[in-house]
Amino acid sequence: MAKSKTIYYCQNCGAQHATWMGKCSQCGEWNTIVEEVVEKNAKKTPWQEDNTKKPVLFNIKDIPETSETRIITHNDELDRVLGGGIVLGSVILLGGEPGIGKSTLLLQVALSLKHLKVLYVSGEESASQIKLRAERIGIETEDCYILTETQTQKIFKQAKSIQPQILIIDSIQTLQSEYVESSPGSVSQIRECTSELIKFAKTTNVPVILVGHITKEGSIAGPKILEHMVDVVLQFEGERNHLYRLLRSQKNRFGSTAELGIYEMQGSGLREVSNPSEVLISPKDTPLSGNAIAATLEGIRPMLIEIQALVSTAVYGTPQRSTTGFDIKRLNMLLAVLEKRAGFQLGSKDVFLNITGGIRVDDPAIDLAVLCAILSSYENEPLPDNCCFAGEIGLSGEVRPVNRIEKRIIEAEKLGYDVIFISKHNKVKTSNFQIRVEMLGTVGDLYRMLF
């Protein structure tokens, strides 16, 4: 009988250690090292074949150019985030909070793929539970197969007989390989199971989609090497109190990581939001102070968002600064610019800032709208109707130009806005647009035009 081998793994970073220690020498975390028994057999997985071919050496100039073949899921938001579809032979990792809709999204994609065999493997739910969700979503195909199994060798055996074109694993933390003697969800099991699935994807050219749990800090559970091993890492975000879910790409070897997909959670599943500007801007019967509309970009996708600000007298000794969906350090910088360059006494004021819809935006082009919302609340005067803003604020109080301003102007014009305020340093022909374009140089110019 083979002798068991004991290895000490760090549950935070996945580093191996010869002995137990209180602090990991790689990541510096305390009490994250656990003892695991590892024993690998020489057996082969059912899908592996003997590979006696010698490795081929290429000169980089002699490698033929090939384009990735993609599977179009007909889910426009998912296809956009993936860069145009699922690449054959790729491994995709989808993470998110419990109950956010990861399983619903993947089952919805599996049921909508007609004329493609999809093997949906679940280690968390029974077949009857998946059937109930499928009936609620709506079954559109007869080529979706459900397998409730956690042993990777049995999964590969079923995949060999069914020959699926897409393999979905829900989730990677529930799988267990017989070649490693440790419990499911441990560092060694996650690493071994992921390695076997990657070899399966690269050998058979079948794309594999993995669902990953996350920790209380929001990162994907398991060793960090898990994210390095896969081709694409997607993050499904959202608040339970909001209907909207955001799909972001943290890593993508086949496309951009700046794209954003927006869904609305409904009783019948996730609905794609094709025009996010309409859902991120709340309708108003009367003009209200402290509201401003910003023209932003997520990847190549322009959209308008609503900025809400509240400026009030500080009740306590230290003024409060609170933000939702915006960097609080950037807010402090903008308040300092208003006080130093424009003369507004905001040091004794509480300032609260909110981006509606539950999304988080890091685009510096919304600085101008943030300042306008703060000034509107400070003066208690609503901004003019049907106006929006796109500009970055510098430390000297100047309005700096932003990239791809034409797309922002076209989006504002398409949604019926009458005027957009931008930097005078943006090189754009205003005659090409029906919307009125106002040029600003400094924060003082902004205040004189609006108040």
Side-chain angles (χ1 to χ4, degrees):
M1 188 174 180
K3 184 179 179 181
S4 299
K5 181 181 179 182
T6 300
I7 295 180
Y8 295 88
Y9 281 106
C10 175
Q11 292 180 316
N12 183 60
C13 66
Q16 296 184 18
H17 300 275
T19 59
W20 184 90
M21 56 184 68
K23 181 180 179 181
C24 177
S25 59
Q26 298 296 324
C27 63
E29 292 292 329
W30 288 88
N31 299 325
T32 58
I33 298 177
V34 295
E35 178 185 4
E36 294 183 4
V37 179
V38 179
E39 182 180 354
K40 293 189 177 182
N41 300 326
K43 298 179 181 178
K44 295 179 180 179
T45 49
W47 50 268
Q48 279 186 317
E49 298 178 356
D50 291 332
N51 187 10
T52 58
K53 296 181 180 180
K54 295 182 178 180
V56 181
L57 181 65
F58 286 101
N59 186 289
I60 192 169
K61 295 182 179 180
D62 300 333
I63 300 176
E65 295 183 2
T66 58
S67 58
E68 299 93 358
T69 305
R70 296 179 182 263
I71 298 175
I72 306 300
T73 65
H74 303 291
N75 189 308
D76 296 337
E77 300 298 304
L78 179 61
D79 288 339
R80 177 188 292 110
V81 175
L82 290 175
I86 302 175
V87 177
L88 295 182
S90 63
V91 181
I92 302 170
L93 177 62
L94 174 63
E97 292 278 352
I100 203 68
K102 304 183 296 297
S103 302
T104 301
L105 174 63
L106 294 182
L107 184 60
Q108 196 167 322
V109 170
L111 296 176
S112 63
L113 289 173
K114 300 179 180 179
H115 312 297
L116 286 176
K117 281 187 178 181
V118 180
L119 178 57
Y120 187 98
V121 180
S122 177
E124 301 177 344
E125 297 178 298
S126 63
S128 58
Q129 288 177 308
I130 299 174
K131 178 66 179 298
L132 289 175
R133 183 187 290 120
E135 290 178 345
R136 189 180 75 244
I137 295 173
I139 302 175
E140 303 178 12
T141 180
E142 297 179 356
D143 294 327
C144 181
Y145 298 89
I146 306 298
L147 176 64
T148 56
E149 183 57 57
T150 58
Q151 287 284 344
T152 56
Q153 284 68 37
K154 295 180 181 179
I155 294 173
F156 293 138
K157 187 176 181 180
Q158 291 291 337
K160 186 177 181 180
S161 61
I162 296 176
Q163 297 292 326
Q165 292 163 286
I166 295 179
L167 176 62
I168 299 175
I169 304 294
D170 185 12
S171 62
I172 186 62
Q173 276 81 10
T174 62
L175 294 191
Q176 187 175 16
S177 174
E178 64 181 14
Y179 305 141
V180 177
E181 290 186 355
S182 60
S183 60
S186 61
V187 174
S188 55
Q189 281 289 0
I190 292 176
R191 178 182 296 177
E192 178 65 23
C193 294
T194 304
S195 178
E196 292 180 8
L197 288 167
I198 291 175
K199 291 178 182 177
F200 168 79
K202 303 307 179 184
T203 304
T204 61
N205 214 27
V206 175
V208 177
I209 304 178
L210 308 175
V211 175
H213 298 167
I214 67 170
T215 62
K216 61 181 181 180
E217 290 82 12
S219 59
I220 295 178
K224 195 67 176 179
I225 194 174
L226 175 63
E227 300 180 38
H228 292 284
M229 294 169 68
V230 300
D231 299 311
V232 181
V233 178
L234 303 180
Q235 189 77 16
F236 210 32
E237 305 172 354
E239 298 290 340
R240 291 184 177 271
N241 297 328
H242 291 86
L243 295 176
Y244 302 107
R245 305 288 188 263
L246 307 179
L247 183 65
R248 299 181 185 270
S249 174
Q250 295 183 345
K251 172 188 176 182
N252 192 351
R253 290 174 178 166
F254 312 108
S256 173
T257 58
E259 296 296 338
L260 175 70
I262 302 179
Y263 295 89
E264 181 183 2
M265 178 62 77
Q266 297 180 342
S268 58
L270 293 165
R271 183 185 70 86
E272 303 172 48
V273 178
S274 57
N275 189 2
S277 301
E278 294 182 355
V279 300
L280 294 177
I281 299 176
S282 57
K284 300 178 182 62
D285 297 330
T286 57
L288 301 174
S289 64
N291 292 345
I293 306 300
T296 183
L297 280 174
E298 284 288 345
I300 61 174
R301 184 181 195 176
M303 60 183 183
L304 300 186
I305 60 175
E306 182 179 355
I307 310 293
Q308 294 181 335
L310 177 62
V311 179
S312 62
T313 303
V315 179
Y316 304 102
T318 304
Q320 300 182 65
R321 304 285 188 263
S322 177
T323 62
T324 302
F326 190 74
D327 187 9
I328 191 169
K329 294 182 179 180
R330 185 119 188 133
L331 173 63
N332 292 330
M333 184 271 289
L334 294 176
L335 294 176
V337 170
L338 278 178
E339 187 158 352
K340 179 71 176 180
R341 305 299 180 185
F344 291 94
Q345 301 300 322
L346 297 172
S348 60
K349 300 289 185 180
D350 291 338
V351 180
F352 305 93
L353 193 72
N354 176 43
I355 297 180
T356 61
I359 70 171
R360 181 174 182 83
V361 180
D362 297 324
D363 186 7
I366 69 173
D367 288 352
L368 193 59
V370 170
L371 280 191
C372 290
I374 294 173
L375 292 175
S376 174
S377 179
Y378 180 82
E379 299 289 349
N380 199 22
E381 291 185 12
L383 296 173
D385 294 335
N386 293 329
C387 70
C388 58
F389 307 88
E392 181 183 357
I393 302 300
L395 293 179
S396 301
E398 77 277 14
V399 181
R400 300 174 58 85
V402 295
N403 60 348
R404 289 173 284 187
I405 190 63
E406 291 84 3
K407 288 188 175 182
R408 305 173 194 264
I409 298 176
I410 292 173
E411 180 70 11
E413 183 180 21
K414 183 177 69 174
L415 293 178
Y417 284 84
D418 299 330
V419 57
I420 181 171
F421 293 85
I422 65 173
S423 171
K424 68 178 183 181
H425 302 290
N426 271 116
K427 307 299 181 181
V428 59
K429 293 183 179 180
T430 59
S431 59
N432 296 339
F433 309 100
Q434 296 181 357
I435 186 174
R436 183 162 56 94
V437 180
E438 293 286 351
M439 302 290 191
L440 300 174
T442 63
V443 177
D445 299 337
L446 173 68
Y447 184 78
R448 284 188 291 271
M449 282 188 178
L450 295 178
F451 301 100

